[in-house]
Amino acid sequence: MKILPPTSESIRFAANALRSGELVGFPTETVYGIAAAATNRDAILKTFALKKRPADNPLIVHVASLEDTTPLVNAIPLAARKLAQAFWPGPLTLVLPKAESVPSEATGGHDTVAVRVPNHPVALAILKETGIPLTAPSANPFMGLSPTSAEHIASEILEGLACVIDGGRCDIGVESTVVDCSGPEITILRPGGISRGEIEGVLGQSVRANDSNERKSPGMYKRHYSPQTPIRLVESLGPLDGGIGFGPPQNPSQFVLPTDAAGYAHELYSTLYALDQLGCDEILIEKPPTTSDWEAVHDRLRKAQG
Ligand code: TXA
Ligand code: MG
């Protein structure tokens, strides 16, 4: 069995595997990731091959603390420092000017690097035990649904991993918010676990979301985060429909999710996973509210529709 309990023995095993260039599945508070030593070009390339991910789609480098970002970046602008201090460890990724030493394979050839300190005891334990920064994309095949529990990692991904450390279900359930702090203007490249309102609260200014059609963040493909079954948003579920609503359920193929954005996000991917297993022709989803705290949910629903 490749899925190991989160014991100190497993953590040591994972750290040794990572130091020798192997890939490890690890839990974070957002989704499960595929960790590799960010100092090892071959290990990084293995990550891209395993996910079948295009080489120009850069990875997030995970570290154990703000201090550990120092060797990876050329500068930490004041706004980035404020955000890191407010939200790390947590579901926030900062894009910063890259230091020469970061392998270009990790950053898709860009002159910036994305960094984050995850808020999960197992991820932090692995980072500390390994002693090197770790690249970690979500542990799904390219375009697929990100796993929010160890059992949801697809078998073709599992095959390429030395092990997965089981950290239970992810608290947040959607990926981190990616914020570009590398230029004169702060921009949200991907909405996620930290809302725009929380970011604006810390910076004391409004922040632009990357809503242009231009692909500023190379990973922001139109279709992404998708289950196998087609998805359609509807005003409300009919009695025979399978999908996600706010209740009450009218048949066993209807899943009721919480009415608050954080609760909904926590359940979303695992529910889509369960619906995918049911083999319906289509997954219908009742439109969630459109207030700003729902931005990450709407982003993922849009991308799941393609
Ligand atoms: O919550 C998360 O962020 C998870 C967990 C495992 O930490 N990781 C994750 O990684 O979602 P991934 O590779 O699935 O998504 C990384 C996103 C992509 O949209 C990518 O384009 C963007 O971050 N990104 C990474 N480096 C970037 C850079 N230098 N400039 C702009 N966008 C970047
Ligand atoms: Mg991903």
Side-chain angles (χ1 to χ4, degrees), residues 47-60 136-138 140-142 219 221 224:
T47 314
F48 281 93
L50 182 61
K51 280 182 63 92
K52 301 194 165 68
R53 173 168 169 140
D56 67 350
N57 185 355
L59 304 179
I60 297 170
S138 50
N140 50 281
F142 183 56
Y221 299 90
H224 207 155

Side-chain angles (χ1 to χ4, degrees), residues 28 30-33 51 53 57-60 62 93 95 110 112-114 116 136-138 175-176 178 189-190 217-220:
T28 79
T30 58
V31 299
Y32 276 70
K51 280 182 63 92
R53 173 168 169 140
N57 185 355
L59 304 179
I60 297 170
H62 295 64
T93 294
V95 173
H110 295 258
T112 55
V113 61
R116 124 171 162 90
S138 50
E175 296 80 355
S176 61
V178 179
L189 299 180
R190 176 178 75 180
S217 188
M220 299 303 275

Side-chain angles (χ1 to χ4, degrees), residues 115-129:
V115 288
R116 124 171 162 90
V117 180
N119 187 18
H120 194 292
V122 174
L124 290 170
I126 292 175
L127 280 163
K128 284 175 191 153
E129 183 74 27

Side-chain angles (χ1 to χ4, degrees), residues 85-155:
Q85 277 160 353
F87 300 118
W88 280 355
L92 174 77
T93 294
L94 299 174
V95 173
L96 296 168
K98 157 190 177 311
E100 190 92 42
S101 62
V102 178
S104 58
E105 287 81 356
T107 64
H110 295 258
D111 56 5
T112 55
V113 61
V115 288
R116 124 171 162 90
V117 180
N119 187 18
H120 194 292
V122 174
L124 290 170
I126 292 175
L127 280 163
K128 284 175 191 153
E129 183 74 27
T130 312
I132 37 185
L134 300 173
T135 51
S138 50
N140 50 281
F142 183 56
M143 305 284 213
L145 266 184
S146 301
T148 52
S149 63
E151 313 85 78
H152 290 179
I153 298 177
S155 54

Side-chain angles (χ1 to χ4, degrees), residues 34 51 165 235 288 302:
I34 302 173
K51 280 182 63 92
I165 310 295
E235 294 304 326
R302 247 191 329 272

